[in-house]
Amino acid sequence: YGHWLFGSSRGGNMLRVNFQYNMATVGWFSLAGVAAELVGWRLGMFLASVGTFFWGLVVVTLFQRSRVNMDGGGEKPTPVVFLLIAPPAAAAIAWSKVDDAAFTGSATASAWDRPSLALFFLMLDYFFFALVLRLLKVYMARSFHIGWWAYIFPLSTTSTATILAAAAQPSGTSEGKAWKAFAWLFVALATAGIVSVAILTAYCMAKGKIPSDPQALALWRKLRAAEARGKAVEAAGAGA
């Protein structure tokens, strides 16, 4: 993290940030949720605060660099852009657990049912989700590759956060029904995404299209050929 903030000639500074750096910040929120439940809300809040700080640095840098790169024609949107929606959803889950740990046994409403950091990050997550959806045509115009798995984790994280928010709403009310419908929508999207990408991955692997890198593909075919020869030798030995 010192390299992130201050940089060095050996790399790792903020000037080299890409969308995959979002996953590095998700770890802070995951730890925060676990710490809040097992240790206490203060440790959970410390970890969530650090995660929020670094996520802020990453997302601001990404927006600044992406505009320059896209305008210059040097880069085109790829599925990893979808990772943008993962940290806000993870942050919403983490802050809700910190909030629940801090107010356990009190009459305070759930973090999902009043103004809170959990609800703030969830609303921000929905905004980022709408933001990346406008690039859907660009994503779909590309042929399938293993990078499509970048869609799955953000969708699953958003689904989890939405489910937690829906579960905290009073049952039978119009607001509660709306939240539950919203949760089912994201669950359906995440499930459809997992099934579709898994099927496409299996199909492309069977056809020898994955990995797509020529050298890696040549190595994969070499290993498959060696495995086939080994099985042939075993079969000949068994027949003898």
Side-chain angles (χ1 to χ4, degrees), residues 34-220:
V34 174
E37 290 184 334
L38 300 181
V39 181
W41 67 268
R42 290 177 178 82
L43 179 58
M45 189 169 186
F46 167 76
L47 295 171
S49 299
V50 175
T52 301
F53 169 71
F54 279 111
W55 172 76
L57 289 178
V58 170
V59 76
V60 169
T61 306
L62 283 174
F63 271 98
Q64 290 176 333
R65 291 186 66 250
S66 296
R67 178 63 184 270
V68 173
N69 291 336
M70 299 300 176
D71 287 348
E75 292 183 10
K76 298 297 181 183
T78 62
V80 296
V81 176
F82 217 74
L83 295 175
L84 189 67
I85 70 174
I93 296 170
W95 281 109
S96 72
K97 292 183 177 180
V98 170
D99 194 281
D100 291 343
F103 294 102
T104 299
S106 69
T108 305
S110 168
W112 302 110
D113 204 26
R114 58 180 170 80
S116 64
L117 281 172
L119 204 54
F120 165 79
F121 276 107
L122 184 58
M123 297 299 107
L124 193 62
D125 186 59
Y126 292 154
F127 168 73
F128 282 166
F129 185 80
L131 199 62
V132 298
L133 278 184
R134 67 188 299 270
L135 300 173
L136 191 60
K137 291 183 179 179
V138 179
Y139 302 148
M140 294 297 102
R142 295 174 176 268
S143 58
F144 175 79
H145 58 90
I146 202 68
W148 280 31
W149 280 101
Y151 298 132
I152 304 305
F153 179 74
L155 275 175
S156 302
T157 310
T158 302
S159 299
T160 303
T162 307
I163 290 170
L164 291 174
Q169 305 304 316
S171 58
T173 63
S174 58
E175 186 176 357
K177 291 178 181 178
W179 271 105
K180 286 178 173 57
F182 213 41
W184 277 111
L185 172 63
F186 275 102
V187 168
L189 287 174
T191 304
I194 292 172
V195 173
S196 300
V197 175
I199 291 174
L200 287 170
T201 301
Y203 173 79
C204 290
M205 289 183 68
K207 292 293 184 178
K209 297 180 180 180
I210 293 179
S212 58
D213 179 73
Q215 293 182 345
L217 189 58
L219 177 60
W220 178 77

